[in-house]
Amino acid sequence: MQVSPLVWGVTILVILGLLAFDFFVHVRKAHTPTLREAAIWSSLYVGVAVLFGVVVWVFGGTEMGSEYFAGYVTEKALSVDNLFVFLIIMSSFRVPREDQQKVLLFGIVFSLVARTGFIFLGSALINSFAWVFYLFGLILLITAGNLLKPEGEESHSADNFIIRLARKLFHTTDYYDGDKLFTLDKGKRAMTPMLLVMVAIGGTDLLFALDSIPAIFGLTQNVYIVFTATVFSLLGLRQLYFLLDGLLDRLVYLSYGLAAILGFIGVKLILHALHENNVPFVNDGNPVPVVVISTGLSLGVIVGVLIVTVVASVRSPRGKAQSAISGARRHATAYLDLGYTADLAERDRIYNKLLAEEQQLRELTPKYRQLVREEQQLMDLVQRAHTEHDDFLSR
């Protein structure tokens, strides 16, 4: 199916309209989204993406529809994994809760621009050089292997080279001035941490694009499908961040599921490269007779792996323990951080979350309760949060 310039134009206008609506209706005025608000709008964005996929299926045919849904599901899963890193970065910069929406929206817009550039660059390379399929396949296999390596929060630290360079070259403050990027500090114009965190988010978005774009090109080479599946997977990511708050730590096997998916797509790309081979030193430049993996099979494998991954994570005692430990540490830290938010209702929400997580820790099996007892720093942090809360009530 050839997509006309008119369809491209209408699609881009709709996307720009959704981004403008998101900013002016939800993000422009700083506030902390409620769980209900996040659930409603996240569902609406998923609904729009699914409706668009149905339209593609009806007018573009089964093959094109399957390619869109396979690409959308894969990119959505990768975007959820990206939320872990966003959470770490914003925690590192101590971004006030009510201003996190603007940081996320900036990250989404930057990601859209960066990935659009990568999409058209990738398309140009694929059309000119068939060996690019080998390269993309190798990138995905390496990425899949890296996902299997154990990582801590330090591996995604926001204190990277660009941030250190910015702090060295420019006058920066250690405090926020609302959502302003610049402020006056001792009579001098200075950058606020808000600008630095946006730089950190933008930098990680570029790295994410290097993984996600080869993945979706492994499912389809239709540029329109690649573009729309990528864009719709990112729209609604802001709402999903607040909806999954507290549940991200529970997905302990997500990296394994993503590794399996990226490895599968990497193999699919290499098989496709062999099938279309024109590289002189491979089979004398002739195509190699290999099995070609269909889009339908790809979609089934992707959905199946994600279902198994999520169910296994949710039912895992390890996932429950990790979620409670990480949540208690995060919420105790947030409660003790006076710069976290000025909203008293948000502080009550954080403290109630901490109480619920402490209850979950008490209900753990002896094996995992022992892990909690060994984390003396966590226990001290929680106790300080209780002391601070008691002092607040007595004022």
Side-chain angles (χ1 to χ4, degrees):
M1 175 184 171
Q2 293 295 322
V3 180
S4 69
L6 176 62
V7 173
W8 268 103
V10 171
T11 303
I12 292 172
L13 285 176
V14 169
I15 291 167
L16 292 176
L18 288 172
L19 288 172
F21 174 82
D22 212 16
F23 175 75
F24 287 105
V25 176
H26 298 290
V27 178
R28 191 176 185 182
K29 183 180 179 181
H31 74 286
T32 303
T34 63
L35 185 63
R36 181 174 180 274
E37 177 186 342
I40 290 173
W41 287 106
S42 184
S43 300
L44 284 174
Y45 274 108
V46 171
V48 169
V50 171
L51 181 61
F52 179 83
V54 172
V55 172
V56 170
W57 198 299
V58 171
F59 290 97
T62 302
E63 183 70 15
M64 198 170 177
S66 299
E67 289 177 352
Y68 168 81
F69 280 111
Y72 172 75
V73 172
T74 300
E75 293 297 307
K76 198 69 174 178
L78 288 170
S79 69
V80 171
D81 189 48
N82 297 348
L83 290 180
F84 284 99
V85 185
F86 288 169
L87 177 64
I88 292 169
I89 290 175
M90 286 197 280
S91 297
S92 299
F93 280 100
R94 298 169 59 235
V95 180
R97 179 75 169 179
E98 52 266 32
D99 292 322
Q100 290 181 4
Q101 290 200 93
K102 287 189 178 177
V103 176
L104 287 167
L105 186 60
F106 167 81
I108 291 169
V109 172
F110 186 90
S111 185
L112 287 175
V113 174
R115 295 187 192 203
T116 298
F118 279 119
I119 286 170
F120 286 103
L121 176 62
S123 176
L125 288 173
I126 285 172
N127 291 330
S128 302
F129 309 103
W131 56 262
V132 172
F133 286 109
Y134 288 111
L135 177 62
F136 280 4
L138 182 61
I139 289 173
L140 293 182
L141 290 175
I142 293 173
T143 303
N146 288 335
L147 284 172
L148 296 176
K149 296 178 182 178
E151 291 184 324
E153 293 191 2
E154 294 78 10
S155 61
H156 299 300
S157 173
D159 188 25
N160 56 38
F161 170 74
I162 296 176
I163 299 301
R164 291 195 298 271
L165 183 63
R167 282 177 166 153
K168 187 174 182 180
L169 295 178
F170 303 100
H171 181 43
T172 62
T173 67
D174 294 327
Y175 58 87
Y176 288 88
D177 186 5
D179 59 0
K180 293 179 181 178
L181 304 182
F182 294 92
T183 188
L184 289 177
D185 181 53
K186 299 177 182 177
K188 294 182 180 180
R189 187 173 174 82
M191 288 193 307
T192 69
M194 182 61 71
L195 180 57
L196 294 177
V197 72
M198 287 184 174
V199 171
I201 291 287
T204 57
D205 278 335
L206 287 176
L207 296 177
F208 294 151
L210 293 175
D211 296 337
S212 68
I213 298 307
I216 194 167
F217 269 117
L219 298 168
T220 176
Q221 285 80 60
N222 186 314
V223 178
Y224 182 76
I225 294 299
V226 172
F227 175 74
T228 52
T230 301
V231 169
F232 280 113
S233 72
L234 291 171
L235 291 175
L237 193 61
R238 177 185 63 79
Q239 293 87 347
L240 192 63
Y241 174 88
F242 292 97
L243 181 62
L244 294 181
D245 181 29
L247 296 178
L248 287 174
D249 294 311
R250 190 71 179 267
L251 301 177
V252 290
Y253 300 125
L254 180 62
S255 60
Y256 297 102
L258 291 177
I261 291 171
L262 293 181
F264 170 78
I265 297 175
V267 171
K268 182 177 186 292
L269 267 173
I270 291 175
L271 289 175
H272 179 77
L274 290 170
H275 187 264
E276 303 291 332
N277 179 63
N278 60 6
V279 178
F281 56 82
V282 177
N283 198 33
D284 295 325
N286 298 312
V288 180
V290 293
V291 175
V292 177
I293 301 174
S294 68
T295 305
L297 177 59
S298 298
L299 179 59
V301 169
I302 292 166
V303 173
V305 169
L306 286 177
I307 290 174
V308 171
T309 298
V310 172
V311 171
S313 295
V314 171
R315 295 179 63 86
S316 166
R318 176 190 162 203
K320 184 178 180 181
Q322 181 171 309
S323 177
I325 292 171
S326 299
R329 180 183 293 108
R330 187 167 66 252
H331 290 126
T333 302
Y335 191 83
L336 290 168
D337 182 5
L338 297 178
Y340 172 75
T341 181
D343 187 351
L344 294 179
E346 172 64 9
R347 288 209 163 274
D348 284 341
R349 186 189 75 85
I350 289 296
Y351 189 73
N352 289 331
K353 281 266 190 182
L354 177 60
L355 293 178
E357 283 148 0
E358 285 186 88
Q359 182 60 36
Q360 291 175 14
L361 293 175
R362 284 191 287 269
E363 293 173 356
L364 294 176
T365 59
K367 173 184 175 181
Y368 292 106
R369 278 207 304 272
Q370 183 61 34
L371 290 177
V372 179
R373 294 192 188 98
E374 291 172 357
E375 294 206 24
Q376 187 58 46
Q377 186 179 11
L378 171 62
M379 304 304 291
D380 293 342
L381 189 67
V382 171
Q383 185 56 49
R384 285 171 53 205
H386 283 298
T387 302
E388 176 67 24
H389 184 70
D390 292 339
D391 291 344
F392 175 76
L393 293 179
S394 62
R395 290 170 194 166

